[in-house]
Amino acid sequence: MRPCISKMFEWHLGFRKFSSYMILHGSRDSQGLKSGHVDGSALKMFSTSCGTLSEDAIKDNPVSDMLVDSFGRQHTYLRISLTERCNLRCQYCMPAEGTELTPSQELLSTNEIVRLANLFVSSGVHKIRLTGGEPTIRKDIEEICLQLSNLNGLKTLAMTTNGIILERKLPSLKECGLSLLNISLDTLVPAKFEFMTRRKGHERVMKSIDAAIELGYNPVKLNCVVMRGFNDDEICDFVELTREKPINVRFIEFMPFDGNVWNVKKLVPYSEMLDRVVKWFTGLQRIRDHPSETAKNFRIDGHQGTVSFITSMTEHFCAGCNRLRLLADGNFKVCLFGPSEVSLRDPLRHGVDDNELMEIIGAAVKRKKAAHAGMFDIAKTPNRPMIHIGG
């Protein structure tokens, strides 16, 4: 299938870069000594990255035409932003001067969120991720989780959170059906955390990570946006977290959004991050990914957890994209980096029926482009701040 072929081509290029690195620098054997060859397992690891969907799997998960774009991509993953508000002020997410928030009466209500979510799930979406802003500060978060988790056909209810108040809410959220968890953490140094987020709270995030592990979330995913000169010196420290705990550290390339002062010099590319990990950790093995996977995933011998790289800027994964976004104000967005949006809130509040909503959604999905414009064009294209779009 096309997404797989595209990803395999990307990984062929990635392997050539890795091979060049190995020839120049060598690898480390189990005693930490350098060797100047790549063995068969490493070749297999870096050239086999993309799985394929069986015919039975496709039949078992029918997707309506509403969710299929003009390139044949099936969109089975919906990200819903519950709020634009947040209890942190992360520099890559919100401009220093702040940003104007949508009035509360213009945000989707719980009933509107559930109605729209049900429309997507009944059409073939099987995974929903709740984002923000910070989703845990929404007062009805437990009720939203309970209603969404009970939608017929939904297999996974996930959340991305900054972890500040997660520890005390997580037990009830799990009872309400929250099945997967991503916690955003860009540094293991409290002083850096305060600088980046413009708030205190590093210790509370670490406690939330431990609480999630104790409650049985496996893995607990940590999202780390890597920025040169800020936290790129902590890459191996983050990887070390995976040794004794079921943590999946996800290194994310720095992406341009309105107000975050993106600069290519701040970008640490995937190839460089991988090089750093290879230098310090032996037994790095590529994991076979689902065709729609955004991350390049690895396991390390002797580690409970795993390591992933999200390469949106240097090796995009648009060919296998299966994601759609519903923003807190009810706007529908088919691409994170595209400026195009269409309101679902307005027709919903004007009384249109589900069939009309499906026509609006389907038309937007069909307009989705084959790929984003590339990081330099994205940086010049007007888009909303991440706090509005949802992480």
Side-chain angles (χ1 to χ4, degrees), residues 135-152:
T136 60
I137 67 174
R138 184 151 170 158
K139 294 179 180 179
D140 56 354
I141 182 63
E142 289 89 354
E143 179 62 25
I144 291 174
C145 285
L146 183 61
Q147 291 198 44
L148 293 180
S149 65
N150 283 319
L151 292 179
N152 185 30

Side-chain angles (χ1 to χ4, degrees), residues 36 40 78 82 86 100-101 127 142 180-181 190 220 222 226 230 253 263 282 290 311 334 336 346 362 366 368 390:
L78 178 65
L82 298 182
C86 188
E100 185 176 349
L101 300 178
K127 179 178 181 179
E142 289 89 354
L180 286 180
L181 193 61
V220 175
L222 296 190
V226 180
F230 172 69
E253 291 180 336
N263 187 311
T282 59
H290 188 277
T311 62
V334 298
L336 172 62
D346 292 348
K366 293 294 187 291
K368 184 169 180 174

Side-chain angles (χ1 to χ4, degrees), residues 273-330:
M273 290 190 278
L274 182 61
D275 281 351
R276 297 192 191 189
V277 175
V278 168
K279 285 180 181 178
W280 286 99
F281 295 92
T282 59
L284 194 69
Q285 300 175 13
R286 188 74 170 83
I287 298 173
R288 190 175 180 86
D289 298 323
H290 188 277
S292 61
E293 177 63 77
T294 61
K296 295 170 173 61
N297 301 297
F298 295 81
R299 64 171 57 92
I300 302 174
D301 288 348
H303 286 226
Q304 285 192 40
T306 53
V307 177
S308 304
F309 302 88
I310 298 178
T311 62
S312 307
M313 296 295 95
T314 62
E315 295 185 20
H316 71 71
F317 31 81
C318 301
C321 182
N322 69 339
R323 289 151 181 76
L324 301 171
R325 291 173 180 266
L326 180 62
L327 279 55
D329 63 2

Side-chain angles (χ1 to χ4, degrees), residues 98-127:
T99 185
E100 185 176 349
L101 300 178
T102 304
S104 58
Q105 67 271 18
E106 296 180 19
L107 300 178
L108 293 177
S109 68
T110 300
N111 289 338
E112 289 171 332
I113 290 170
V114 173
R115 179 182 169 186
L116 289 172
N118 185 54
L119 192 61
F120 280 97
V121 172
S122 63
S123 299
V125 163
H126 55 72
K127 179 178 181 179

Side-chain angles (χ1 to χ4, degrees), residues 167 190 193 200-208:
E167 182 186 13
F193 179 91
K200 297 181 183 294
H202 185 269
E203 183 180 359
R204 281 180 282 172
V205 179
M206 300 305 292
K207 287 182 178 179
S208 291

